[in-house]
Amino acid sequence: TTTTTTTTTKPTTTTTTLVPGLGTDKCLLAELVPSEVTCNGTNMQYNPQLQACVRTATPCGVLTYKSPYGNFTTIRGRLSAKRFGTPDAFSNATAFQPSGDSISIWTTTGVHIFSYAVSYTVNNIAANCPDKGGNKPSSIVGNNFYCADDCEGDCRRDLTVYPNKLFTTYPIFEVTLPVAVDAVEVRICLDSGSNEEDLYLTSLTLEVDASCPAPITSCPLASVTPSLSSCVGTGIAYNSWLRVCERDQVPCGTMRFLSNYGNFTVLHGHLTALRSGTPDAFNSALSTGDSISIFDLDGNPIFAYAASYTTCNTSQNCPDAGGKQPPSSIGTNYYCTSDLNGPCYIDSSYPSTVYDQELFTNHPTFTVTLSQPIAGVEVRICLDESKRNEDLFLKSLDLQIDAQCPAPTTPRFQVTSRTTTSTRATTRLTTTTRTSTTTRETTSTTTTRRRRATEPTTTTTTRTTTTRTTTTTRSTTTTTAAPSFFDVLTSDPERSMFARLLDVAGMDIVLNSYGPGSDYGLTMFVPTNDALRREQALYDSLLVPRNQALLNTFILNHIVSDTYYGSRLNDGLTLTSWANRLLTISRGNRNIWVNNALIIQRNYLIYSSVIHTIDAPLTPAGFTTPTTTTT
């Protein structure tokens, strides 16, 4: 049982009419650009299609920011967001959630600072913003809020992500707190599930008054969002299903990063990872344990992120749970986590199950001061057993160094319009200058006529040659479109057999409507090639032209409307496929089944849709294998 005490002391609020730049009297507390690293929090994750931080549980997702400057009493800031579905401002505010459907800033001790609330309508009185007749916020919120109506006059209850960003025209808030604090929480709270209504955080900037020293110039050393181009090294590969960098040899895979700013002695960093199988922290035979570790280029360890699969087997626990201590070369420069609490569980399946809980998300950024300047680092993913037994997968990495690098010149707050660069299409403007010389021959004919028909007619012809030089400047725009939904889906060879069925059925046109720019999503359960080979007779028969109707039914039974991430596939959930058949979700031992098929890879995102890989096809009930006999 958790008891939360919330003080009702109201801080004073002043709002500016202009948006100033970063002043010398304020220190930067938070400047959020959504990513897999920055969206880490309690019930929070990054949505790459929305490019936003989103909550993963009802009612709230929370991001916490602790001041590196000590206590403060004044805070100012602004944020922007997108709306989904039907948030209704303060109409359902409760004592537990006094800020209504909003993104709010609170102190970690429970003092409300400021709320950005949203209403989807101006016609339903209770659901309106207060200035449109809607319910007023509680005394805890008071006047420290701003409420936006983003669909004037149109009561729309459809489940759509609206593209316009909210709160962008509202000036920054500034609040003086009754007591000094050293941390704040940013809470995305709505009283209904994310399948009915939601708010997505797209930007955030917070500043505080504090005795902040002159900022240390921190230069980027490495920032890895896994991809084919970023997962490069010795024994390192990109896993497109998990969207991670993984080792492809035993015991280690290594990535090397060299400084662009000369040698350095201070390193800051953070990473996140996924686990499979049974890593056993420092009980491993390796010097840095089963871990993802940072080394200097001479092989000396700097910091280690170790993992244990259990808290029950003492020898395989993290050190703080009775497990083996790290070697003296690591000392205290490590963090160890066990991502299964409670029962001792050993994953004996093959291949090992990959757990979708990200590790190390709650560990703060480490800072290590080195005894000697170094020129770069190596990041090693090392485990003492094969991939079928255990593994760690690098989900994100950010490393910074203290060095002399160019300082940013862009102000934190500015009124000027923002230029958005879309990653969905690349446009190249080419200016071509063409010079042409044209030679034109002109013939002038003069005819002299006599009055009398008996007199001959005299004709004089003069030829004139004119040369004209013309310079033409032409602008040519070449656009490279983003890959279609079908192209992305069929790009992985492990989906090639199911992709062939989609192609024969002509599903590419339908699926491509869920491609770049679509606000709608679907969920597809895709059987692996091995799964379809086990049903080879069925597979071959579906490719026979006269069985087109059966092929369509088979494919549609693997598709569901709406986006169901793994976290939404609750035990007992029933979904209706596009073939109008029921699909039942069941869970156990951290595994998920759809009907009798095990989901072996989860959450492969394609634009606004999600793909789950399964180990058996979802053959509709009563579906019989058609004959392939031909005459």
Side-chain angles (χ1 to χ4, degrees):
T1 302
T2 301
T3 303
T4 302
T5 303
T6 304
T7 177
T8 58
T9 304
K10 292 192 296 184
T12 59
T13 304
T14 59
T15 30
T16 59
T17 55
L18 297 175
V19 183
L22 180 64
T24 57
D25 62 327
K26 295 292 186 291
C27 310
L28 185 66
L29 176 63
E31 187 169 43
L32 173 70
V33 177
S35 70
E36 291 187 353
V37 174
T38 59
C39 293
N40 286 325
T42 304
N43 298 327
M44 293 289 294
Q45 71 178 18
Y46 175 59
N47 185 309
Q49 278 69 44
L50 298 171
Q51 296 185 6
C53 299
V54 302
R55 63 175 183 149
T56 58
T58 303
C60 297
V62 179
L63 296 171
T64 302
Y65 297 97
K66 186 174 177 63
S67 168
Y69 319 107
N71 290 350
F72 57 88
T73 56
T74 302
I75 181 172
R76 70 182 182 187
R78 71 182 308 174
L79 59 81
S80 65
K82 291 183 179 181
R83 172 181 73 88
F84 168 76
T86 58
D88 42 19
F90 299 106
S91 66
N92 292 317
T94 63
F96 175 72
Q97 188 183 320
S99 54
D101 290 344
S102 68
I103 302 179
S104 300
I105 297 95
W106 296 72
T107 70
T108 53
T109 56
V111 178
H112 176 266
I113 298 175
F114 201 86
S115 290
Y116 289 84
V118 177
S119 166
Y120 76 95
T121 174
V122 293
N123 294 335
N124 183 337
I125 297 298
N128 285 352
C129 286
D131 62 341
K132 302 290 176 55
N135 291 358
K136 296 185 180 299
S138 68
S139 59
I140 294 175
V141 174
N143 294 321
N144 293 344
F145 74 91
Y146 175 69
C147 187
D149 296 295
D150 75 317
C151 55
E152 288 289 334
D154 183 5
C155 295
R156 290 180 288 184
R157 299 190 64 89
D158 56 330
L159 300 180
T160 301
V161 177
Y162 291 96
N164 54 305
K165 288 187 178 180
L166 309 178
F167 316 125
T168 55
T169 60
Y170 183 69
I172 66 172
F173 73 85
E174 185 167 315
V175 173
T176 300
L177 302 168
V179 294
V181 298
D182 66 352
V184 299
E185 293 179 348
V186 178
R187 306 178 185 176
I188 304 177
C189 295
L190 297 98
D191 62 340
S192 298
S194 57
N195 59 330
E196 296 181 19
E197 60 186 15
D198 222 339
L199 292 173
Y200 308 117
L201 182 63
T202 54
S203 69
L204 169 73
T205 305
L206 297 175
E207 296 173 333
V208 298
D209 66 321
S211 298
C212 47
I216 297 174
T217 303
S218 186
C219 313
L221 176 64
S223 181
V224 175
T225 299
S227 67
L228 281 172
S229 59
S230 63
C231 295
V232 177
T234 303
I236 290 289
Y238 175 57
N239 185 315
S240 60
W241 292 100
L242 300 174
R243 293 190 175 184
V244 296
C245 300
E246 65 175 0
R247 62 173 184 150
D248 62 0
Q249 65 183 29
V250 178
C252 297
T254 302
M255 307 171 72
R256 174 172 286 200
F257 302 97
L258 301 178
S259 168
N260 292 321
Y261 312 102
N263 291 353
F264 57 92
T265 57
V266 180
L267 177 68
H268 316 269
H270 184 265
L271 61 82
T272 61
L274 299 179
R275 173 184 73 87
S276 72
T278 57
D280 42 18
F282 297 108
N283 189 59
S284 164
L286 302 176
S287 61
T288 53
D290 289 342
S291 68
I292 303 180
S293 301
I294 297 96
F295 290 76
D296 66 21
L297 300 182
D298 293 325
N300 302 307
I302 298 174
F303 200 89
Y305 287 86
S308 165
Y309 74 96
T310 176
T311 57
C312 301
N313 186 333
T314 301
S315 66
Q316 295 173 331
N317 286 353
C318 287
D320 61 352
K324 185 178 179 180
Q325 296 293 321
S328 58
S329 59
I330 293 179
T332 59
N333 290 340
Y334 73 91
Y335 178 67
C336 186
T337 186
S338 299
D339 70 319
L340 283 175
N341 294 315
C344 294
Y345 177 70
I346 297 178
D347 183 358
S348 59
S349 63
Y350 175 72
S352 296
T353 301
V354 177
Y355 295 100
D356 56 8
Q357 177 185 348
E358 284 191 37
L359 309 182
F360 315 123
T361 57
N362 296 324
H363 182 64
T365 298
F366 72 82
T367 297
V368 174
T369 300
L370 305 167
S371 58
Q372 297 291 332
I374 62 175
V377 300
E378 289 184 348
V379 177
R380 303 181 186 177
I381 306 174
C382 295
L383 297 97
D384 64 346
E385 296 185 32
S386 66
K387 294 175 64 65
R388 67 176 294 172
N389 293 334
E390 59 188 17
D391 218 346
L392 291 173
F393 307 94
L394 182 66
K395 188 72 173 175
S396 66
L397 172 69
D398 182 66
L399 297 177
Q400 303 277 331
I401 60 175
D402 289 353
Q404 296 299 318
C405 55
T409 57
T410 305
R412 305 293 182 186
F413 297 114
Q414 53 184 343
V415 185
T416 56
S417 60
R418 304 181 68 177
T419 301
T420 302
T421 302
S422 173
T423 59
R424 292 174 178 169
T426 303
T427 302
R428 183 175 68 252
L429 181 64
T430 304
T431 301
T432 304
T433 302
R434 177 179 297 172
T435 302
S436 60
T437 302
T438 304
T439 301
R440 177 178 296 174
E441 187 178 79
T442 305
T443 302
S444 176
T445 303
T446 303
T447 304
T448 304
R449 294 183 179 275
R450 297 288 183 179
R451 290 179 180 272
R452 291 181 296 179
T454 57
E455 296 180 349
T457 300
T458 303
T459 302
T460 303
T461 302
T462 303
R463 295 182 181 274
T464 303
T465 301
T466 302
T467 301
R468 177 178 297 173
T469 302
T470 303
T471 302
T472 304
T473 302
R474 176 178 298 172
S475 294
T476 304
T477 301
T478 304
T479 301
T480 303
S484 67
F485 182 104
F486 190 75
D487 289 340
V488 177
L489 175 65
T490 57
S491 62
D492 194 306
E494 290 301 316
R495 295 189 287 257
S496 61
M497 292 181 68
F498 191 75
R500 185 184 179 193
L501 296 180
L502 293 172
D503 187 42
V504 171
M507 286 292 293
D508 55 327
I509 297 176
V510 176
L511 295 177
N512 285 343
S513 67
Y514 291 84
S518 173
D519 289 328
Y520 302 95
L522 56 80
T523 300
M524 183 179 293
F525 301 98
V526 177
T528 64
N529 288 351
D530 286 342
L532 290 172
R533 289 189 189 102
R534 288 192 292 269
E535 302 288 344
Q536 191 69 48
L538 170 63
Y539 182 82
D540 292 341
S541 65
L542 293 174
L543 296 174
V544 176
R546 69 166 177 269
N547 295 329
Q548 180 74 38
L550 294 174
L551 171 62
N552 293 342
T553 301
F554 178 84
I555 289 175
L556 296 179
N557 203 49
H558 292 77
I559 306 174
V560 174
S561 295
D562 203 357
T563 306
Y564 287 88
Y565 301 106
S567 57
R568 292 186 63 190
L569 297 175
N570 299 319
D571 189 40
L573 176 68
T574 300
L575 305 174
T576 301
S577 73
W578 283 11
N580 201 29
R581 310 294 176 90
L582 296 182
L583 306 178
T584 302
I585 304 299
S586 55
R587 302 182 74 117
N589 290 332
R590 300 180 67 87
N591 291 320
I592 304 177
W593 289 266
V594 52
N595 289 354
N596 293 321
L598 174 66
I599 299 178
I600 57 178
Q601 300 282 2
R602 308 173 197 167
N603 301 337
Y604 182 87
L605 304 181
I606 303 181
Y607 302 112
S608 296
S609 300
V610 63
I611 306 299
H612 302 296
T613 307
I614 53 179
D615 69 349
L618 300 177
T619 306
F623 192 91
T624 57
T625 301
T627 179
T628 58
T629 303
T630 58
T631 58

